[in-house]
């Protein structure tokens, strides 16, 4: 089965040289894994040099965040258009760590629309902080999905990737149980079909949160996901190599 691996390097590594080495290892492993599509989201500073040094076609690049406005007085931000001009084909939107810094559902709505208008694939992250007994988290996820997809034209719905990342499993010791992910994938699919019609059947749903070479295969096999959004394990050469090797024949 074809799977998608998104490497969210977050604020790693510390130098361009190390980033180049990490890219090299990731590319090498990806080249040996025909069924795995890899997208690397490095710190934005490294995007241009990494893109320029990469000659292949197998790996694509993305940004971890971008502003919805195209240009202007937004100190410290980069725009979707700048990201695209620097070689990004994908953009992570609404990551839990960005939401914790103040990004709202309204922001994600605008960012998804901005990305699509430039032909950038939005990777919309959703996920609850904690789970209650009464399924409150489902209402929370539904609201995040509703906002993220509000301005998406029917013809573009299937271009959006949804990454479910429960906050309690990000940077944690253990990933979510794949059976629980399976249930969540059904809920996300059902919600998207309600919101966006049958076109939502084409949306790829990913899981993220404490994935490594040890649990990736089970998550893909039993979690009903099209791929994984990986943080820590994607920023270490040995870990990412082992992870890509593990999922290459799932
Ligand atoms: P970890 O894989 O480090 O838990 O991070 C998950 C994540 O936030 C990916 O976007």
């Amino acid at each position: 089965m074809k799977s998608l691996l998104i490497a969210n390097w977050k604020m790693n590594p510390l130098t361009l040289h190390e980033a180049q080495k990490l890219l090299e290892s990731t590319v090498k492993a990806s080249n040996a894994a025909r069924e795995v599509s890899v997208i690397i989201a490095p710190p934005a500073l490294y995007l241009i040099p990494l893109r320029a040094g990469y000659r292949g076609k197998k790996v694509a690049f993305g940004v971890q965040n971008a502003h919805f406005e195209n240009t202007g007085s937004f100190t410290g931000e980069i725009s979707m258009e700048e990201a695209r001009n620097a070689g990004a084909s994908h953009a992570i939107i609404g990551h839990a760590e960005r939401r914790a810094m103040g990004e709202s559902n309204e922001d994600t709505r605008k960012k998804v629309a901005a990305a699509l208008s430039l032909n950038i694939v939005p990777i919309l992250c959703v996920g609850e902080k904690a789970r209650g007994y009464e399924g409150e988290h489902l209402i929370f996820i539904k609201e995040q999905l509703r906002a993220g997809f509000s301005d998406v034209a029917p013809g573009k719905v299937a271009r959006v990737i949804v990454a479910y990342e429960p906050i309690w499993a990000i940077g944690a010791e253990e990933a979510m149980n794949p059976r629980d992910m399976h249930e969540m994938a059904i809920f996300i699919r059902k919600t998207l079909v309600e919101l966006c019609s049958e076109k939502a059947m084409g949306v790829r749903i990913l899981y993220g949160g404490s994935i490594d070479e040890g649990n990736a295969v089970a998550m893909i096999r039993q979690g009903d996901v099209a791929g994984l959004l990986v943080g820590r394990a994607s920023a270490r050469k040995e870990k990412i190599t082992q992870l890509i090797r593990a999922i290459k024949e799932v």
Side-chain angles (χ1 to χ4, degrees):
M1 194 175 83
K2 202 142 179 73
S3 28
L4 184 59
L5 180 77
I6 303 180
N8 177 9
W9 289 2
K10 306 193 178 181
M11 205 163 68
N12 303 290
L14 285 176
T15 65
L16 174 60
H17 180 71
E18 285 172 274
Q20 283 160 333
K21 293 282 168 209
L22 180 56
L23 173 65
E24 216 173 88
S25 301
T26 309
V27 165
K28 196 165 163 213
S30 314
N31 287 343
R34 196 149 30 100
E35 297 297 310
V36 184
S37 303
V38 178
I39 295 148
I40 298 177
L45 270 180
Y46 303 148
L47 185 58
I48 293 176
L50 291 183
R51 194 74 202 74
Y54 176 61
R55 300 259 168 265
K57 288 227 164 74
K58 184 77 205 300
V59 166
F61 291 83
V63 283
Q64 300 172 12
N65 175 45
H67 203 280
F68 48 80
E69 294 288 353
N70 249 13
T71 183
S73 302
F74 299 97
T75 303
E77 295 285 340
I78 57 166
S79 76
M80 288 286 172
E81 189 156 350
E82 287 167 338
R84 195 200 53 189
N85 293 341
S89 52
H90 291 68
I92 298 175
I93 294 173
H95 190 279
E97 288 153 13
R98 303 289 326 167
R99 291 183 190 261
M101 291 177 222
E103 185 161 327
S104 65
N105 274 345
E106 181 63 8
D107 295 326
T108 63
R109 172 179 75 76
K110 293 182 189 159
K111 289 180 182 196
V112 168
L116 287 171
S117 74
L118 291 160
N119 241 346
I120 290 178
V121 176
I123 302 156
L124 174 68
C125 300
V126 298
E128 76 283 357
K129 277 198 195 69
R131 292 195 164 191
Y133 290 108
E134 308 202 344
E136 301 91 330
H137 65 286
L138 298 178
I139 298 169
F140 186 80
I141 302 293
K142 187 170 186 173
E143 196 43 37
Q144 289 184 325
L145 291 169
R146 197 197 55 71
F149 279 80
S150 336
D151 287 351
V152 180
K156 291 199 173 170
V157 166
R159 280 187 68 74
V160 183
I161 296 173
V162 170
Y164 174 67
E165 296 205 304
I167 298 177
W168 45 270
I170 297 177
E173 276 177 21
E174 267 188 67
M176 182 177 179
N177 181 315
R179 282 187 304 276
D180 294 339
M181 182 58 222
H182 192 117
E183 272 181 20
M184 181 48 79
I186 293 170
F187 174 77
I188 292 173
R189 181 81 61 206
K190 185 175 141 275
T191 303
L192 289 178
V193 169
E194 264 170 45
L195 294 169
C196 312
S197 84
E198 290 298 310
K199 303 262 187 218
M201 293 308 288
V203 171
R204 282 165 293 172
I205 300 172
L206 314 183
Y207 168 82
S210 298
I211 284 294
D212 62 18
E213 70 284 2
N215 55 22
V217 171
M219 187 57 81
I220 291 177
R221 286 214 178 116
Q222 300 156 30
D224 194 20
V225 291
L228 304 164
L229 175 51
V230 183
R232 285 161 298 168
S234 75
R236 289 181 42 202
K237 287 183 287 189
E238 314 71 38
K239 293 290 256 184
I240 191 64
T241 303
Q242 288 168 13
L243 175 46
I244 294 173
R245 253 186 224 149
I247 61 172
K248 89 177 181 198
E249 268 146 33
V250 178

